[in-house]
Amino acid sequence: TAVPLRALEYPQEILDAAIAKNPGILVAELTPEDWSALEAPVRSPVFTGVLGAATSVSAEDGYEIVKSVLDNVDEVKSFGKPLAGIGLEAAVNNLLAAYPVNAGAAQYYKEKGVWREELKIAS
């Protein structure tokens, strides 16, 4: 916190190359409202807020984690601005077809009626 940071504006071709190598990268606009060190908005690569793609946890734990977060969205959002965009639709929209979804998380999304058929469930 003692070192001032400067955000970099990335050329679109660099952002496109990063996205081509990793489909989990998106482009977002950082604004002075989000980051006080900025004088003007800048485009920057960001990673999706994937909730439920961890295949290293059991299906039972995956279900409980996703359910705990998404059934308590208002409380989760109160933990800070980076969590302001969390919600059921955002969570499922941030799942990527290239990455299998934890079976428990998939079950939760199906129960809520927001599962996308192009997604794959981890075995």
Side-chain angles (χ1 to χ4, degrees), residues 61-93:
D61 288 344
Y63 181 89
E64 287 303 319
I65 291 166
V66 172
K67 179 177 176 42
S68 295
V69 171
L70 295 176
D71 283 359
N72 298 287
V73 167
D74 290 337
E75 182 180 357
V76 171
K77 287 180 178 184
S78 75
F79 296 144
K81 192 164 187 165
L83 298 171
I86 197 150
L88 181 60
E89 295 293 327
V92 78
N93 287 340

Side-chain angles (χ1 to χ4, degrees), residues 97-119:
Y99 298 98
V101 177
N102 177 284
Q107 177 187 342
Y108 179 87
Y109 292 128
K110 286 181 178 189
E111 289 173 1
K112 294 296 182 179
V114 295
W115 180 253
R116 297 183 359 242
E117 290 304 318
E118 73 271 13
L119 298 172

